[in-house]
Amino acid sequence: MSQLSRFPSPLRYPGGKGKIANFVKILMIENGLAGRDYVEPYAGGASVALSLLFEGYADRAFINDLNPGVHAFWSSAVSRTDELCALIETTPVTMQTWHEQREIANSPEAEGLDLGFATFFLNRTNRSGIISGGVIGGLDQTGQWKIDARYNVESLVQRIRKIGRHRSSIVVSNEDAVQFVRQWSDPAEDAAFLYLDPPYFEKGEGLYDNFYDAADHAEIAESVAHLAHPWIVSYDARPEITQLYPDALQIRYGLTYSAHRDSASGSEIMFFSDGLKVPEMLPNGISISQVVKAQRLALAR
Ligand SMILES: C[S@@+](CC[C@H](N)C(=O)[O-])C[C@H]1O[C@@H](n2cnc3c(N)ncnc32)[C@H](O)[C@@H]1O
């Protein structure tokens, strides 16, 4: 598999959902959802959306994110592809550029291509892709890895050009998820499938600032309950979250799997809209029957 299809997103995303893409493809096929609009209200790195679109599982991809920098990046990649690629090809990856781009990213006035490129630059040169985090190699660049360790111009430009070629099938927006999903409360809307990956309940270090509190988690659960199109929601497995989706079918899994972390005690959880058939393969790539087998083996020991 080429780099381009394995990592379709130009953004690095902490806890990115690369593995989920295969699960979503199987889920769409098994439930007859292929060829619909695919909607991500909390898109972040949008790697699932891009995989589905590029491989023909989705007719159109809706990429929404409230973070202005993340939105400016997607908007630039889709609508100003050539200019963004030219910036990537000509801007030196140095500490001086890093300081300049950090200033742009922190400026409340920054917008459009400037903000989109600054977000991209910091995502590719900071540790774990965290926009507000520290640069790879440290400010004095004495670390083992240097600022450009994750900045392969050729591969990144290729990924952005591919996004540009699909621009007529990508809809980018910058709304609060609760307002954004409202249009899919209407059954007359074009057939869609939604994957919601809200900020985790337990706030960790992330690419984005996590402003979600308990009321926000409850509000999006309420909006999801009114959706007229099939959906899935993924979260960290916390009782405060499971109680918000009392009627939904749910599965637990660990994104890093070991025989001890079986499907019942995994740290991640996924909820499914009414009537969706859950694939045999879990979102971490492990099949449900393998998990059951591992549990049996553990019990027999
Ligand atoms: C858990 S991340 C999504 C990660 C994404 N699934 C991926 O694989 O890259 C949550 C995203 O939601 C965005 N976000 C936070 N609050 C939001 C809101 N109220 N409405 C829409 N997006 C929001 C954040 O900027 C962040 O990019």
Side-chain angles (χ1 to χ4, degrees), residues 13 16-17 40-46 64-67 175-177 197-199 208 212:
Y13 227 84
K17 306 284 179 193
E40 273 199 38
Y42 303 90
N64 179 70
D65 203 290
L66 187 59
N67 180 297
E175 288 179 61
D176 181 85
D197 183 23
Y208 52 91
Y212 256 30

Side-chain angles (χ1 to χ4, degrees), residues 9 11-18 20 38 40-48 64-68 70-71 74 173-180 195-200 207-212 216 220 234:
S9 177
L11 291 185
R12 301 163 63 216
Y13 227 84
K17 306 284 179 193
I20 304 264
Y38 171 79
E40 273 199 38
Y42 303 90
S47 55
V48 178
N64 179 70
D65 203 290
L66 187 59
N67 180 297
V70 175
H71 167 258
W74 288 116
S173 55
N174 185 211
E175 288 179 61
D176 181 85
V178 169
Q179 330 303 332
F180 173 72
Y195 168 32
L196 296 94
D197 183 23
Y200 276 7
L207 167 60
Y208 52 91
D209 298 316
N210 181 351
F211 299 115
Y212 256 30
D216 297 308
I220 191 66
S234 62

